[in-house]
PDB file of all heavy atoms in Angstrom:
ATOM      1  N   VAL A  24       5.011  27.604 -18.878  1.00 84.00           N
ATOM      2  CA  VAL A  24       6.099  28.583 -18.968  1.00 84.00           C
ATOM      3  C   VAL A  24       6.630  28.666 -20.390  1.00 84.00           C
ATOM      4  O   VAL A  24       6.900  29.757 -20.926  1.00 84.00           O
ATOM      5  CB  VAL A  24       7.216  28.214 -17.976  1.00 84.00           C
ATOM      6  CG1 VAL A  24       8.447  29.097 -18.196  1.00 84.00           C
ATOM      7  CG2 VAL A  24       6.717  28.335 -16.538  1.00 84.00           C
ATOM      8  N   LEU A  25       6.792  27.488 -21.030  1.00 86.00           N
ATOM      9  CA  LEU A  25       7.276  27.474 -22.407  1.00 86.00           C
ATOM     10  C   LEU A  25       6.300  28.184 -23.334  1.00 86.00           C
ATOM     11  O   LEU A  25       6.724  28.914 -24.257  1.00 86.00           O
ATOM     12  CB  LEU A  25       7.495  26.032 -22.854  1.00 86.00           C
ATOM     13  CG  LEU A  25       8.039  25.826 -24.269  1.00 86.00           C
ATOM     14  CD1 LEU A  25       9.435  26.440 -24.387  1.00 86.00           C
ATOM     15  CD2 LEU A  25       8.072  24.338 -24.631  1.00 86.00           C
ATOM     16  N   ASP A  26       5.011  28.007 -23.106  1.00 83.00           N
ATOM     17  CA  ASP A  26       3.997  28.669 -23.938  1.00 83.00           C
ATOM     18  C   ASP A  26       4.097  30.198 -23.817  1.00 83.00           C
ATOM     19  O   ASP A  26       4.003  30.917 -24.827  1.00 83.00           O
ATOM     20  CB  ASP A  26       2.610  28.194 -23.506  1.00 83.00           C
ATOM     21  CG  ASP A  26       1.498  28.916 -24.230  1.00 83.00           C
ATOM     22  OD1 ASP A  26       1.414  28.801 -25.466  1.00 83.00           O
ATOM     23  OD2 ASP A  26       0.701  29.608 -23.548  1.00 83.00           O
ATOM     24  N   VAL A  27       4.306  30.686 -22.598  1.00 83.00           N
ATOM     25  CA  VAL A  27       4.446  32.132 -22.400  1.00 83.00           C
ATOM     26  C   VAL A  27       5.738  32.636 -23.032  1.00 83.00           C
ATOM     27  O   VAL A  27       5.770  33.687 -23.696  1.00 83.00           O
ATOM     28  CB  VAL A  27       4.389  32.459 -20.899  1.00 83.00           C
ATOM     29  CG1 VAL A  27       4.704  33.947 -20.660  1.00 83.00           C
ATOM     30  CG2 VAL A  27       3.016  32.122 -20.329  1.00 83.00           C
ATOM     31  N   TRP A  28       6.803  31.907 -22.831  1.00 85.00           N
ATOM     32  CA  TRP A  28       8.117  32.350 -23.315  1.00 85.00           C
ATOM     33  C   TRP A  28       8.181  32.421 -24.834  1.00 85.00           C
ATOM     34  O   TRP A  28       8.805  33.306 -25.417  1.00 85.00           O
ATOM     35  CB  TRP A  28       9.182  31.412 -22.779  1.00 85.00           C
ATOM     36  CG  TRP A  28      10.568  31.765 -23.205  1.00 85.00           C
ATOM     37  CD1 TRP A  28      11.314  32.844 -22.828  1.00 85.00           C
ATOM     38  CD2 TRP A  28      11.367  31.034 -24.142  1.00 85.00           C
ATOM     39  NE1 TRP A  28      12.529  32.844 -23.441  1.00 85.00           N
ATOM     40  CE2 TRP A  28      12.593  31.725 -24.266  1.00 85.00           C
ATOM     41  CE3 TRP A  28      11.183  29.867 -24.874  1.00 85.00           C
ATOM     42  CZ2 TRP A  28      13.616  31.281 -25.105  1.00 85.00           C
ATOM     43  CZ3 TRP A  28      12.203  29.411 -25.693  1.00 85.00           C
ATOM     44  CH2 TRP A  28      13.405  30.125 -25.810  1.00 85.00           C
ATOM     45  N   LEU A  29       7.510  31.484 -25.523  1.00 82.00           N
ATOM     46  CA  LEU A  29       7.579  31.446 -26.981  1.00 82.00           C
ATOM     47  C   LEU A  29       6.816  32.597 -27.635  1.00 82.00           C
ATOM     48  O   LEU A  29       7.168  33.017 -28.746  1.00 82.00           O
ATOM     49  CB  LEU A  29       7.043  30.100 -27.494  1.00 82.00           C
ATOM     50  CG  LEU A  29       7.908  28.874 -27.180  1.00 82.00           C
ATOM     51  CD1 LEU A  29       7.236  27.602 -27.660  1.00 82.00           C
ATOM     52  CD2 LEU A  29       9.290  29.011 -27.834  1.00 82.00           C
ATOM     53  N   VAL A  30       5.759  33.089 -26.975  1.00 80.00           N
ATOM     54  CA  VAL A  30       4.947  34.148 -27.584  1.00 80.00           C
ATOM     55  C   VAL A  30       5.176  35.508 -26.930  1.00 80.00           C
ATOM     56  O   VAL A  30       4.477  36.475 -27.252  1.00 80.00           O
ATOM     57  CB  VAL A  30       3.448  33.784 -27.518  1.00 80.00           C
ATOM     58  CG1 VAL A  30       3.173  32.504 -28.278  1.00 80.00           C
ATOM     59  CG2 VAL A  30       2.983  33.663 -26.066  1.00 80.00           C
ATOM     60  N   PHE A  31       6.119  35.584 -26.036  1.00 73.00           N
ATOM     61  CA  PHE A  31       6.335  36.801 -25.266  1.00 73.00           C
ATOM     62  C   PHE A  31       7.018  37.869 -26.137  1.00 73.00           C
ATOM     63  O   PHE A  31       8.127  37.661 -26.619  1.00 73.00           O
ATOM     64  CB  PHE A  31       7.208  36.488 -24.049  1.00 73.00           C
ATOM     65  CG  PHE A  31       7.071  37.496 -22.947  1.00 73.00           C
ATOM     66  CD1 PHE A  31       5.967  37.472 -22.127  1.00 73.00           C
ATOM     67  CD2 PHE A  31       8.046  38.467 -22.747  1.00 73.00           C
ATOM     68  CE1 PHE A  31       5.833  38.395 -21.102  1.00 73.00           C
ATOM     69  CE2 PHE A  31       7.903  39.392 -21.733  1.00 73.00           C
ATOM     70  CZ  PHE A  31       6.803  39.358 -20.900  1.00 73.00           C
ATOM     71  N   PRO A  32       6.372  39.039 -26.361  1.00 75.00           N
ATOM     72  CA  PRO A  32       6.999  40.103 -27.180  1.00 75.00           C
ATOM     73  C   PRO A  32       8.016  40.898 -26.357  1.00 75.00           C
ATOM     74  O   PRO A  32       7.932  40.983 -25.138  1.00 75.00           O
ATOM     75  CB  PRO A  32       5.822  40.965 -27.613  1.00 75.00           C
ATOM     76  CG  PRO A  32       4.830  40.804 -26.524  1.00 75.00           C
ATOM     77  CD  PRO A  32       4.985  39.393 -26.003  1.00 75.00           C
ATOM     78  N   GLU A  33       8.958  41.509 -27.046  1.00 70.00           N
ATOM     79  CA  GLU A  33       9.995  42.269 -26.351  1.00 70.00           C
ATOM     80  C   GLU A  33       9.451  43.555 -25.731  1.00 70.00           C
ATOM     81  O   GLU A  33       9.946  44.021 -24.709  1.00 70.00           O
ATOM     82  CB  GLU A  33      11.126  42.605 -27.329  1.00 70.00           C
ATOM     83  CG  GLU A  33      11.853  41.379 -27.864  1.00 70.00           C
ATOM     84  CD  GLU A  33      12.975  41.756 -28.806  1.00 70.00           C
ATOM     85  OE1 GLU A  33      13.139  42.978 -29.073  1.00 70.00           O
ATOM     86  OE2 GLU A  33      13.681  40.847 -29.280  1.00 70.00           O
ATOM     87  N   GLU A  34       8.427  44.151 -26.344  1.00 71.00           N
ATOM     88  CA  GLU A  34       7.904  45.413 -25.824  1.00 71.00           C
ATOM     89  C   GLU A  34       6.722  45.205 -24.881  1.00 71.00           C
ATOM     90  O   GLU A  34       5.853  46.079 -24.733  1.00 71.00           O
ATOM     91  CB  GLU A  34       7.462  46.306 -26.987  1.00 71.00           C
ATOM     92  CG  GLU A  34       6.283  45.767 -27.813  1.00 71.00           C
ATOM     93  CD  GLU A  34       6.731  44.761 -28.869  1.00 71.00           C
ATOM     94  OE1 GLU A  34       7.943  44.438 -28.900  1.00 71.00           O
ATOM     95  OE2 GLU A  34       5.869  44.302 -29.646  1.00 71.00           O
ATOM     96  N   ALA A  35       6.675  44.063 -24.183  1.00 67.00           N
ATOM     97  CA  ALA A  35       5.547  43.758 -23.297  1.00 67.00           C
ATOM     98  C   ALA A  35       5.583  44.645 -22.064  1.00 67.00           C
ATOM     99  O   ALA A  35       6.641  45.064 -21.595  1.00 67.00           O
ATOM    100  CB  ALA A  35       5.603  42.299 -22.881  1.00 67.00           C
ATOM    101  N   MET A  36       4.369  44.933 -21.534  1.00 76.00           N
ATOM    102  CA  MET A  36       4.244  45.717 -20.321  1.00 76.00           C
ATOM    103  C   MET A  36       4.680  44.872 -19.117  1.00 76.00           C
ATOM    104  O   MET A  36       4.538  43.647 -19.091  1.00 76.00           O
ATOM    105  CB  MET A  36       2.804  46.185 -20.135  1.00 76.00           C
ATOM    106  CG  MET A  36       2.276  47.015 -21.303  1.00 76.00           C
ATOM    107  SD  MET A  36       3.198  48.578 -21.499  1.00 76.00           S
ATOM    108  CE  MET A  36       2.697  49.414 -19.994  1.00 76.00           C
ATOM    109  N   THR A  37       5.170  45.557 -18.089  1.00 79.00           N
ATOM    110  CA  THR A  37       5.675  44.841 -16.913  1.00 79.00           C
ATOM    111  C   THR A  37       4.568  44.064 -16.209  1.00 79.00           C
ATOM    112  O   THR A  37       4.764  42.920 -15.759  1.00 79.00           O
ATOM    113  CB  THR A  37       6.315  45.841 -15.934  1.00 79.00           C
ATOM    114  OG1 THR A  37       7.339  46.560 -16.609  1.00 79.00           O
ATOM    115  CG2 THR A  37       6.915  45.110 -14.733  1.00 79.00           C
ATOM    116  N   TYR A  38       3.395  44.680 -16.080  1.00 83.00           N
ATOM    117  CA  TYR A  38       2.306  43.977 -15.376  1.00 83.00           C
ATOM    118  C   TYR A  38       1.882  42.713 -16.117  1.00 83.00           C
ATOM    119  O   TYR A  38       1.467  41.718 -15.514  1.00 83.00           O
ATOM    120  CB  TYR A  38       1.120  44.916 -15.153  1.00 83.00           C
ATOM    121  CG  TYR A  38       0.376  45.304 -16.416  1.00 83.00           C
ATOM    122  CD1 TYR A  38      -0.661  44.516 -16.909  1.00 83.00           C
ATOM    123  CD2 TYR A  38       0.694  46.484 -17.102  1.00 83.00           C
ATOM    124  CE1 TYR A  38      -1.338  44.889 -18.060  1.00 83.00           C
ATOM    125  CE2 TYR A  38       0.026  46.843 -18.239  1.00 83.00           C
ATOM    126  CZ  TYR A  38      -0.995  46.044 -18.727  1.00 83.00           C
ATOM    127  OH  TYR A  38      -1.666  46.395 -19.855  1.00 83.00           O
ATOM    128  N   SER A  39       1.982  42.714 -17.459  1.00 84.00           N
ATOM    129  CA  SER A  39       1.646  41.511 -18.227  1.00 84.00           C
ATOM    130  C   SER A  39       2.622  40.380 -17.926  1.00 84.00           C
ATOM    131  O   SER A  39       2.239  39.196 -17.859  1.00 84.00           O
ATOM    132  CB  SER A  39       1.653  41.832 -19.724  1.00 84.00           C
ATOM    133  OG  SER A  39       0.694  42.818 -20.040  1.00 84.00           O
ATOM    134  N   ILE A  40       3.886  40.739 -17.743  1.00 83.00           N
ATOM    135  CA  ILE A  40       4.897  39.732 -17.423  1.00 83.00           C
ATOM    136  C   ILE A  40       4.583  39.084 -16.072  1.00 83.00           C
ATOM    137  O   ILE A  40       4.573  37.852 -15.929  1.00 83.00           O
ATOM    138  CB  ILE A  40       6.300  40.362 -17.424  1.00 83.00           C
ATOM    139  CG1 ILE A  40       6.627  40.929 -18.804  1.00 83.00           C
ATOM    140  CG2 ILE A  40       7.335  39.336 -16.986  1.00 83.00           C
ATOM    141  CD1 ILE A  40       7.942  41.678 -18.856  1.00 83.00           C
ATOM    142  N   TRP A  41       4.299  39.927 -15.078  1.00 88.00           N
ATOM    143  CA  TRP A  41       4.023  39.385 -13.744  1.00 88.00           C
ATOM    144  C   TRP A  41       2.720  38.576 -13.706  1.00 88.00           C
ATOM    145  O   TRP A  41       2.645  37.535 -13.041  1.00 88.00           O
ATOM    146  CB  TRP A  41       3.955  40.524 -12.735  1.00 88.00           C
ATOM    147  CG  TRP A  41       5.311  41.073 -12.398  1.00 88.00           C
ATOM    148  CD1 TRP A  41       5.845  42.258 -12.799  1.00 88.00           C
ATOM    149  CD2 TRP A  41       6.310  40.433 -11.603  1.00 88.00           C
ATOM    150  NE1 TRP A  41       7.113  42.425 -12.322  1.00 88.00           N
ATOM    151  CE2 TRP A  41       7.428  41.291 -11.563  1.00 88.00           C
ATOM    152  CE3 TRP A  41       6.379  39.219 -10.932  1.00 88.00           C
ATOM    153  CZ2 TRP A  41       8.583  40.978 -10.871  1.00 88.00           C
ATOM    154  CZ3 TRP A  41       7.536  38.916 -10.236  1.00 88.00           C
ATOM    155  CH2 TRP A  41       8.626  39.784 -10.213  1.00 88.00           C
ATOM    156  N   LEU A  42       1.715  39.040 -14.389  1.00 89.00           N
ATOM    157  CA  LEU A  42       0.450  38.286 -14.423  1.00 89.00           C
ATOM    158  C   LEU A  42       0.633  36.925 -15.102  1.00 89.00           C
ATOM    159  O   LEU A  42       0.086  35.911 -14.642  1.00 89.00           O
ATOM    160  CB  LEU A  42      -0.625  39.096 -15.147  1.00 89.00           C
ATOM    161  CG  LEU A  42      -1.166  40.324 -14.407  1.00 89.00           C
ATOM    162  CD1 LEU A  42      -2.154  41.075 -15.297  1.00 89.00           C
ATOM    163  CD2 LEU A  42      -1.836  39.912 -13.101  1.00 89.00           C
ATOM    164  N   SER A  43       1.385  36.884 -16.187  1.00 87.00           N
ATOM    165  CA  SER A  43       1.628  35.611 -16.873  1.00 87.00           C
ATOM    166  C   SER A  43       2.441  34.666 -15.986  1.00 87.00           C
ATOM    167  O   SER A  43       2.147  33.448 -15.901  1.00 87.00           O
ATOM    168  CB  SER A  43       2.363  35.858 -18.186  1.00 87.00           C
ATOM    169  OG  SER A  43       1.605  36.681 -19.053  1.00 87.00           O
ATOM    170  N   ALA A  44       3.450  35.198 -15.305  1.00 88.00           N
ATOM    171  CA  ALA A  44       4.265  34.360 -14.421  1.00 88.00           C
ATOM    172  C   ALA A  44       3.429  33.828 -13.253  1.00 88.00           C
ATOM    173  O   ALA A  44       3.541  32.652 -12.864  1.00 88.00           O
ATOM    174  CB  ALA A  44       5.464  35.149 -13.915  1.00 88.00           C
ATOM    175  N   PHE A  45       2.572  34.681 -12.688  1.00 90.00           N
ATOM    176  CA  PHE A  45       1.723  34.248 -11.574  1.00 90.00           C
ATOM    177  C   PHE A  45       0.762  33.136 -12.008  1.00 90.00           C
ATOM    178  O   PHE A  45       0.478  32.207 -11.244  1.00 90.00           O
ATOM    179  CB  PHE A  45       0.953  35.437 -11.027  1.00 90.00           C
ATOM    180  CG  PHE A  45       0.048  35.091  -9.877  1.00 90.00           C
ATOM    181  CD1 PHE A  45       0.564  34.828  -8.626  1.00 90.00           C
ATOM    182  CD2 PHE A  45      -1.331  35.021 -10.067  1.00 90.00           C
ATOM    183  CE1 PHE A  45      -0.265  34.498  -7.564  1.00 90.00           C
ATOM    184  CE2 PHE A  45      -2.167  34.691  -9.016  1.00 90.00           C
ATOM    185  CZ  PHE A  45      -1.633  34.434  -7.767  1.00 90.00           C
TER     186      PHE A  45
END
Side-chain angles (χ1 to χ4, degrees):
V24 172
L25 182 63
D26 175 62
V27 173
W28 180 69
L29 291 177
V30 299
F31 202 77
E33 296 181 357
E34 65 277 4
M36 302 296 293
T37 303
Y38 69 87
S39 299
I40 299 175
W41 285 106
L42 289 176
S43 299
F45 180 74

